[in-house]
């Protein structure tokens, strides 16, 4: 199955070139120039359907078009049906993904199949690593410590069927957060001092936040920053043995009513450094990522990774402009 070719811009495209929202068009133009599309699309284009390895059926949509569609959905907080409608309706979106006004539009099932291909080939990690490698090559990573945090993404709790079974996602689990019961999945991240995400883990909600910090910071050589949920004597000793500063917030010990003033001051200093690790989660929530969209851990793991990739490229615009 070969890759289809989008039509070149025609007369109608030329006549409407100045139409569309100027602010959205300007943002998309900046993103289009910032993202290393050729680097990201290479492993996708190597999949069988793009190399003619599958026979029969319609030609596949260009890999670059599908990747841009997925990123658009994340940058604007769109579901698959909303993305399809926006591609039909918004000139700036069509131009960004390389569709002329005479081209057909990918439908929502096309986006589902594309993510399935990424999931089956486990390409989400490859795309994430290629993103961070490119941002590092551009000098945007600030390698002055690892900032670790986690977010819970809620999943619907389901309901009982008449036959006694449940519609609940069997891979989602329960946990407590600030005294409230939550049900879903957990995403843990390692961010640098500029709030770019450099590594991640995704799990059901039940594992404690501290379960992944050692994996996420294995290569850190300077400083590990996290809130008090991650502190333990063993972790502090292990970091110090490696020559790594343990900037994990202090917590009260058993029988201790309050922290002594020096430790309170240290915690305030740690909090001021740690604050930037909240930026990725705040952006994702603003884009509607408060609840998972799919059933099953792997589908949601891919979605979490795509959110992080989209966030990193969007964040890189601000960092590059500030240099």
């Amino acid at each position: 199955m070969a890759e289809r070719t989008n039509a070149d811009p025609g007369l109608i495209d030329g006549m409407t070139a100045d139409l569309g929202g100027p602010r959205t068009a300007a943002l998309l133009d900046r993103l289009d120039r910032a993202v290393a599309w050729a680097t990201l699309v290479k492993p996708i284009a190597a999949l069988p359907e793009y190399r003619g390895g599958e026979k029969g059926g319609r030609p596949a949509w260009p890999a670059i078009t599908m990747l841009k569609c997925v990123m658009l959905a994340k940058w604007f907080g769109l579901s698959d049906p909303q993305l399809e409608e926006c591609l039909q309706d918004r000139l700036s979106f069509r131009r960004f993904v390389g569709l002329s006004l005479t081209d057909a539009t990918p439908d929502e099932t096309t986006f589902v199949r594309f993510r399935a291909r990424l999931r089956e080939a486990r390409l989400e990690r490859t795309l994430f690593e290629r993103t961070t490698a490119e941002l590092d090559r551009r000098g945007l990573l600030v390698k002055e410590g690892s900032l670790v945090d986690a977010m819970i993404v809620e999943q619907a709790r389901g309901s009982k069927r008449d036959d006694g079974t449940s519609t609940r996602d069997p891979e989602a689990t329960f946990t407590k957060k600030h005294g409230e019961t939550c049900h879903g999945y957990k995403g843990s991240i390692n961010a640098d001092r500029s709030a770019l995400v450099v590594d991640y883990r995704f799990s059901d909600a039940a594992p404690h936040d501290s379960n992944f910090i050692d994996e996420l910071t294995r290569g850190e050589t300077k400083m590990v920053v996290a809130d008090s949920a991650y502190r333990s004597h063993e972790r502090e000793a292990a970091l110090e043995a490696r020559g790594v500063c343990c900037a994990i917030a202090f917590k009260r010990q058993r029988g201790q009513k309050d922290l002594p003033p020096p430790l309170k001051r240290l915690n305030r200093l740690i909090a001021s450094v740690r604050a930037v690790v909240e930026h990725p989660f705040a952006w994702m929530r603003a884009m509607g990522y408060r609840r998972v969209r799919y059933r099953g851990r792997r589908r949601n793991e891919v979605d979490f990774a795509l959110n992080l990739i989209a966030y990193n490229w969007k964040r890189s615009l601000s960092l590059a402009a500030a240099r």
Side-chain angles (χ1 to χ4, degrees):
M1 183 167 60
E3 182 177 280
R4 74 170 70 191
T5 303
N6 293 337
D8 292 328
L11 176 62
I12 298 176
D13 296 281
M15 293 173 64
T16 58
D18 294 330
L19 300 181
R23 285 186 295 182
T24 299
L27 172 61
L28 291 178
D29 181 61
R30 292 173 62 207
L31 286 166
D32 199 23
R33 287 184 282 109
V35 178
W37 297 113
T39 298
L40 295 184
V41 83
K42 189 174 181 179
I44 302 173
L47 294 174
E49 55 266 39
Y50 295 111
R51 293 188 290 106
E54 294 183 356
K55 305 299 181 184
R58 290 184 176 183
W61 285 95
I64 185 66
T65 296
M66 296 309 301
L67 181 59
K68 286 186 173 185
C69 286
V70 168
M71 289 295 99
L72 269 181
K74 298 309 176 191
W75 287 325
F76 290 87
L78 303 173
S79 66
D80 291 341
Q82 289 170 331
L83 176 58
E84 179 185 350
E85 184 169 338
C86 284
L87 286 170
Q88 293 171 337
D89 187 60
R90 298 187 65 169
L91 291 172
S92 58
F93 278 30
R94 293 188 71 83
R95 293 188 194 114
F96 178 77
V97 303
L99 295 175
S100 73
L101 290 175
T102 57
D103 278 316
T105 302
D107 61 21
E108 58 181 283
T109 59
T110 306
F111 307 136
V112 173
R113 289 195 297 269
F114 180 71
R115 285 194 305 272
R117 292 182 183 120
L118 298 182
R119 182 177 72 250
E120 290 159 5
R122 296 191 172 272
L123 284 183
E124 78 280 358
R125 174 66 68 171
T126 300
L127 297 178
F128 177 83
E129 290 176 351
R130 285 181 173 234
T131 293
T132 54
E134 177 62 22
L135 297 178
D136 189 19
R137 188 190 68 80
R138 297 180 189 183
L140 295 177
L141 296 186
V142 180
K143 299 177 182 180
E144 296 179 358
S146 291
L147 284 58
V148 177
D149 204 1
M151 73 179 294
I152 293 172
V153 194
E154 290 271 0
Q155 172 64 291
R157 302 189 184 192
S159 57
K160 284 190 176 180
R161 299 187 180 98
D162 293 338
D163 62 3
T165 61
S166 173
T167 61
R168 179 180 297 164
D169 181 346
E171 295 186 88
T173 55
F174 288 90
T175 190
K176 289 275 190 179
K177 182 104 174 160
H178 304 308
E180 294 186 7
T181 301
C182 303
H183 176 255
Y185 294 90
K186 181 175 292 184
S188 301
I189 62 170
N190 172 1
D192 74 347
R193 295 289 296 276
S194 66
L196 288 170
V197 181
V198 297
D199 202 358
Y200 70 92
R201 295 292 184 274
F202 191 82
S203 69
D204 60 280
H208 191 269
D209 288 3
S210 63
N211 280 25
F212 301 105
I213 185 172
D214 297 324
E215 293 179 37
L216 289 170
T217 61
R218 186 170 292 128
E220 180 56 51
T221 60
K222 294 185 178 179
M223 177 172 62
V224 171
V225 185
D227 66 30
S228 60
Y230 297 88
R231 176 168 278 278
S232 71
H233 293 301
E234 295 79 8
R235 182 163 294 118
E236 181 180 9
L239 290 173
E240 290 178 354
R242 287 163 44 194
V244 178
C245 174
C246 179
I248 300 175
F250 292 88
K251 55 186 175 183
R252 289 178 298 159
Q253 301 301 312
R254 187 185 300 273
Q256 191 177 33
K257 290 185 177 180
D258 204 359
L259 284 175
L263 294 188
K264 285 185 175 182
R265 288 194 293 270
L266 275 175
N267 274 0
R268 286 194 292 269
L269 179 60
I270 290 169
S272 68
V273 175
R274 196 186 69 83
V276 299
V277 77
E278 295 288 346
H279 292 187
F281 295 151
W283 181 84
M284 291 161 70
R285 291 187 183 103
M287 293 298 104
Y289 191 67
R290 296 175 179 272
R291 301 180 70 87
V292 294
R293 293 186 182 273
Y294 313 107
R295 285 172 60 88
R297 190 190 66 80
R298 274 294 292 146
R299 284 181 172 84
N300 286 304
E301 181 176 23
V302 171
D303 196 46
F304 184 71
L306 292 173
N307 273 291
L308 295 179
I309 293 165
Y311 164 79
N312 272 353
W313 286 115
K314 185 82 178 291
R315 176 67 178 166
S316 75
L317 292 182
S318 301
L319 297 175
R323 295 176 68 179

